[in-house]
Every structure is written in C-alpha cells, then in structure tokens.
Amino acid sequence: MKALMSSVIIPWQPPHPKPRIPVVCCSTINGSSSSSSEVNLQSSQPQECKSSNDEEPKQSEIWRLFREAQKNILHLNQHRLKAVEDLNKINIEKQLLVDRIEQLELEKQTAVAKPHDRLSMFWELLLRIDSMVLMGMVTTGEASNLRRLVMDHKVSVAEVFNDTLQKSDAEILAELRHFSERNQRNGFHIVHVCTEMAPLVSVGSLASYVTGLSCALQRKGHLVEVILPKYSNLDLDEVQGLQEIEAECYSYFNGQLHGNRIWTGVVYGIGVTLIQPLYYSSFFNRERVYGYSDDFERFTYFSRASLDYIVKSGKQPDVIHIHNWETAIIGPLFWDIIVKQGLEGTRVLLTCHDLNSQCLEHPEKLALCGLDPARLHRPDRLQDTTKAHLVNVLKGGVVYSNKVVIMSSIRSKGRVIHSLSYGLDHTLNIHKNKVVIAPCGFDNSTWDPSTDKFLPQQYSVKDMKGKAVCKAALQQHLGFSEHASTILVGCIFSEVLDVDLENLRAVFRKARRIDVQFIIKGISKISSVNKLGLVHEPLKDKNVRFIDGHDEKQSHLIFAGSDIILCQSFHDPVLQVPLKALKYGAAPIAVNSNDDGFRNFVEHDYETTNFSRFISSTFGNMSITQALDEIRNNPSKWKRKIMDAMEMDFSWDAECCDIHASAYTAIKNL
C-alpha cells in the first residue's frame, strides 16, 4: 500500500503583511503511482533549491559591484585628499607670492625715493640747525659754521647722521661739534624767496622754474633752499618731514614786531621753509595766490619776514634769489637794512618772468616794511618813469639787485630791453651790464621718450622704432586710420583764447589737400570746450580730433606719436611745448598767419640763448606748409633734422642752469 506523505512548509511572516500561501509538495513512496482517490502533491523543496541557485550569481555580482564601489570611493577620497593638499600648497605659495610682491613694491618705493633720501636727511639736518638758533641753543656765528661743515661733507654726513629725526637737538648738536674735519667747499648756497614752487603751489611759470632750477643746481653741487608763504591751500603731499619749529620768529611790519610760525620740510631733496603770519593770518589764508587789492602789503610782509628769518636763523647764503615784483622789494630792504646784520658776503639776484607786471604803489607804503620813502622815491631808485608820483617795485628790484636774469627763450637782450620792457627800458638800459637772458627748461626726468612710462614703447635717437609704435597707438586711440605714411600733427595749448583761431583755421585749410591728421588738445583749469567749438565747426573732418582737459598719459602719447607739434610760441615757459616736442622727435612749428612763419624772429646778436639760435636755424623759420613739403619731398633731410634736435639738451640741467651758475659766480666776485 502506497503511503501518502504530505510535507507542508510554512515560512515565518511578519504579523502585518498578508501571509503568503505555502507551496505544498506531495510525492509517492517507492515510486508508486497514486490512485485517483489520493492526493498527489509535489514537494516544493526542489523549486526552492532551483530559485536559490538562480540568485547566487546575482548576489555575487552585487558583492562584486559593491566591492568595486568601495574601491572607487576610496580612490575618490584619496584624490579629494590630494586635491585639498594641493589647494593648501597653492594658497601657501599664493601668500608667499603676495608677500614677495609687497616686498618688491616696498623696495621699488625705496629705490625711487633713494636719490632724495640722502638730500632729505641732509636738509633735515640743516633745518634742525635753524631750529637750534631760534631756540637759542647756538649763536648765529656757530650755526653758520655748522652749516658750512654739513655742506662741505655731504657724503660723510649722510653716513653719520642717518637717524636725524630720532635724535633731539641737543644730541645732534653734540655730534656736530665732534664732526670737525672739513673739506674744501664746492658750490654756492642759494636761498630762493618766492611765491610759487611746484608742486606745492603753481599758478604760472615761476613754480616749475623754481623747482626745476633748484634740482638742477643741487645736482651740480650747489646747496639750494626755498622760502615760501604758508598758503592755506598748499599741496603738502610731496613734503617730507614737515614740522613746525617750536619757536616764534618775529618780523617787522607797520611799526611793530609780529610773530610768525615757521614750518620746515623737504621737497624733491630741496629744503623748504614756510612762513605763516600770526597777527596777519588772513594774508595767505585765501582762495587765490594773487589778485587782491592788498597784494603789496601781503608780499611786502612776506619779503621782510623772510629776511628777518634768514638773519635770526644765522644763515649766510651766497645768494638771495628773488623773483618778480612780489619779492623784488627784498633788493632795497637787503641793502638799506639787512646787509649789516651779518650778511656782508651775501648778494642778491632778481629773476623777471613777466616785465609787464611791476606793481605801482604810493611811496608812503614803503614805510610798512621799514624802508624810507623819501630816500627811495627818486628817479634813480624806485620812482616810476611814467607815473612819477608812484614807486615801481619791480624797478626797485632791478636797481638794487646785483644781477638781473630775464627769462626769454627766443628774444635777445637788446630786443627785450628796447621793445619788450613795458616802460622799464630806461632803467634796464642803465643797468644792462648786469642783465642776463636765460631760456626756460623742462623736466627731462619726466619727459624723455627713452624712459617714459606712459608710452607703449620707449625709443631714443639711437633706436626710433618705438616712435612708429607710439604713432600707431595714438591713431588707434583717436579712431584715425592707421597709416604710417600719414603725417600726424599735434597741437597742445593752455588756453584757447591765446590761440589765433583764424590762423589755426588757415593752417588746417592749407594742410587738408595733403594726407594729414590733426589732434587739437586744450589744457586749462577753465573748460575751453566752447572755444574749441569755434575751430571745430568749420573744420568738421574725419582727420581732425578735438580733446579738452588734462590727461597726462594722453599728452605724452601726443608728443611721442606726432610728426609735427603746432605751438603758440617758441617761448612757452608754462607748458614747454617746443622743448618737449624736440625731445620726442616732433618738429615744433609756430602758428602764424604769414607763410614765412617766424622768419628772422631772432636778432642775430651774441646775446641770445643757444635754444634761440638752434630753433632759428631749424624750425623757427618754417611754416606748416613748408614743413609738410619737406617731410614729403626730402625725408632724409627731415629725419636728420629731427634726430639732431633729439640729441640737444634743453632741460633745466643744461643752458638755464649754466647761465644761473655763471651769474652767481659773477656777483660773488663783486
């Protein structure tokens, strides 16, 4: 009998899900077949085993993928750690680079300042001697000897007194007294008493002249210092070591002694003293430098205060250098009052930048600064030639100075005296033996194409490739077509009012038939857009550009990129356009209605400047038409002329400085 066995397999299920129906398997025993009345069930076990066998490869695959994922995660983590490490290294290197840049920038600033550092220290020491005198620590005689000691030992003094600001006056005085070894003296001690100095206060040509000449003289071994009023609007950014001397300095004015605050500092290596009135504080606490009804009182006060300060500080300069009518009163003040106060060896030199500005006043006003009106109101002294009831201050400066330098780049001495002296011709003719003509200069440390930081490529007379690069850059900057053969003409002027507009239009009309591009740039504190419009309207042309306003980089590029520079005059003491044009390889051509230009504008006598003779023999006689024709028809001659001009030196260090040094020598030998 067949035995029937049923095996029921019920797997465990969680209580909540619906239970699965178990698979019931029935099998025969001994292989017998089941009857119809028997339930023949197949076992479920073989099916489970089959299912399990199917899943094993899948599980193996999952484990393999899992292990690979783990490996990938570990690999990515290693890369992440490496990236973090690299980032930290980059940040460290970046910080080191930033630190290095800061160090190099500091070294650069130190290197730039280095030429002035020794002079600054040198002047700090001299100004401390002034302070010692005012504080009563030394006599004026000893102070003079100490100054001479410092002047004679500039190099060794710079090594010994390299920490001047950190020491007290007493410590410095003790060291100076031990510093007794002396060398033979070189150069002159010059004190400028003036009303302008770049960059502290600039109104006209005087400011750049004082700074440019002073720096040039010091480079040649002279000792130069400047005394200025302490205007309320001074630009003090370039003043090193500015400090107030802790002692009042009194000066005479209007029958009394008045206190002044004295400030000292160093500008471009030049010692500067600023005088600030206390009682008359309003004199220099104004919006403008000039143009007030009491200008005579203001500058007479300053002139007397400057002389009183020189005396009290024990200075004994070789030359007191005065400028224009504003300090011309120092001439009679010095010889009538001051000279006997220890300045017997000092001489006076007057520079005239504008003979048309003379200052006429009533004689009795001379008493304000201690002068005797009756003594000076005479034809051979200060009495004005035309208005005899008045005194002429500039005339007094001419009469009482040992030497008179008239700034004129192109006019001869004879022409200035007889035609351009505005009523002073009689006085200048009497004193013509002490009159000297000098040209203005320019700052070749800033204006030199071989070192110009504003240019896309620097150049020199030995390598002119950069000139073409600058020309292309200028054309591109202004939207011109960039053709090297096109002649580029620049024109830079300070005031459009000063330009003969009709002549300028005539120049354009003549040049329009040639391939010429024009750049007209006006530089003025007062906008000249309206005046530029007077030129622009009738000359609307694709080859003309008008620019208004000051842009230093743009100005340098115009000089470097232009073939010709139109100028208002060859005597341009403010902008120095002709001088800069020559240096940058551009021909200066004067705007003039006559096609012959300035032909024969210079008298052929020996008392003209080198600049005057050079410009007369090259570009002075040229019109714009002649210049354009020579560029087109005789390029080799033009190139030679340009290169000869570039090799000339018309900076402050050249003729201007030499003429002044010769003048100082001449008056010291009197």
Side-chain angles (χ1 to χ4, degrees), residues 142-369:
E142 184 180 5
S144 179
N145 292 334
L146 291 175
R147 288 191 193 92
R148 194 64 65 198
L149 178 69
V150 173
M151 289 168 59
D152 292 347
H153 296 79
K154 288 183 181 178
V155 176
S156 50
V157 161
E159 297 171 355
V160 175
F161 297 91
N162 55 9
D163 55 350
T164 308
L165 291 177
Q166 283 71 43
K167 295 181 179 180
S168 67
D169 286 349
E171 291 173 317
I172 293 174
L173 180 58
E175 291 184 15
L176 281 170
R177 284 171 172 165
H178 285 91
F179 193 75
S180 57
E181 195 174 325
R182 304 171 61 102
N183 292 328
Q184 186 176 357
R185 178 188 164 204
N186 295 315
F188 296 112
H189 179 194
I190 301 124
V191 176
H192 288 277
V193 183
C194 51
T195 54
E196 297 178 41
M197 178 190 184
L200 275 68
V201 53
S202 300
V203 178
S205 60
L206 175 60
S208 59
Y209 163 83
V210 168
T211 305
L213 177 62
S214 297
C215 291
L217 286 166
Q218 287 208 152
R219 283 190 286 269
K220 295 192 176 183
H222 304 286
L223 174 67
V224 188
E225 58 181 305
V226 176
I227 302 177
L228 286 166
K230 192 175 187 301
Y231 303 104
S232 59
N233 57 354
L234 282 176
D235 182 355
L236 300 175
D237 290 344
E238 296 293 336
V239 182
Q240 292 179 287
L242 181 65
Q243 61 180 338
E244 181 183 1
I245 295 179
E246 296 179 359
E248 284 189 357
C249 179
Y250 290 90
S251 61
Y252 179 88
F253 191 76
N254 198 16
Q256 299 182 54
L257 291 177
H258 297 280
N260 302 287
R261 296 173 69 184
I262 305 297
W263 301 76
T264 60
V266 182
V267 178
Y268 299 157
I270 304 163
V272 175
T273 300
L274 306 175
I275 296 180
Q276 181 180 11
L278 294 177
Y279 183 76
Y280 290 98
S281 58
S282 66
F283 274 176
F284 304 110
N285 189 21
R286 303 182 185 182
E287 184 179 353
R288 304 189 309 272
V289 173
Y290 311 118
Y292 296 98
S293 60
D294 61 346
D295 276 358
F296 174 81
E297 288 84 353
R298 295 170 66 223
F299 295 115
T300 298
Y301 179 97
F302 166 68
S303 297
R304 178 64 193 258
S306 298
L307 289 175
D308 288 336
Y309 167 74
I310 289 172
V311 170
K312 186 170 183 181
S313 61
K315 296 179 187 291
Q316 293 181 327
D318 296 298
V319 179
I320 296 177
H321 193 150
I322 58 180
H323 305 267
N324 298 334
W325 79 257
E326 285 83 3
T327 53
I329 199 70
I330 285 177
L333 271 172
F334 179 82
W335 292 110
D336 282 7
I337 298 175
I338 303 297
V339 65
K340 296 179 181 178
Q341 300 181 39
L343 295 174
E344 289 82 1
T346 300
R347 299 293 180 264
V348 179
L349 183 143
L350 168 69
T351 295
C352 297
H353 296 261
D354 182 8
L355 289 171
N356 192 30
S357 182
Q358 300 175 10
C359 186
L360 305 184
E361 274 294 349
H362 295 286
E364 57 269 20
K365 282 193 174 184
L366 295 174
L368 289 171
C369 59

Side-chain angles (χ1 to χ4, degrees), residues 32 60 71-72 119 125 132 167 236 321 354 369 376 445 479 548 604 614 623 633:
S32 303
S60 297
K71 289 180 181 179
N72 289 336
L119 278 174
L125 188 57
M132 294 174 197
K167 295 181 179 180
L236 300 175
H321 193 150
D354 182 8
C369 59
L376 297 176
S445 66
D548 193 40
H604 296 284
F614 175 81
S623 67
N633 302 324

Side-chain angles (χ1 to χ4, degrees), residues 387-403:
K387 299 179 180 180
H389 65 290
L390 300 176
V391 290
N392 186 317
V393 178
L394 185 60
K395 176 184 176 181
V398 172
V399 172
Y400 277 85
S401 294
N402 300 104
K403 208 77 172 175

Side-chain angles (χ1 to χ4, degrees), residues 352 355 405-425 428-429 435-438 603 605 607:
C352 297
L355 289 171
V405 177
I406 298 176
M407 301 303 295
S408 177
S409 295
I410 59 173
R411 304 301 181 188
S412 70
K413 176 177 170 179
R415 176 74 182 277
V416 170
I417 291 176
H418 297 295
S419 305
L420 301 169
S421 54
Y422 301 96
L424 287 178
D425 50 315
L428 290 172
N429 197 50
V435 174
V436 176
I437 301 296
E603 298 91 336
D605 73 38
E607 291 183 285

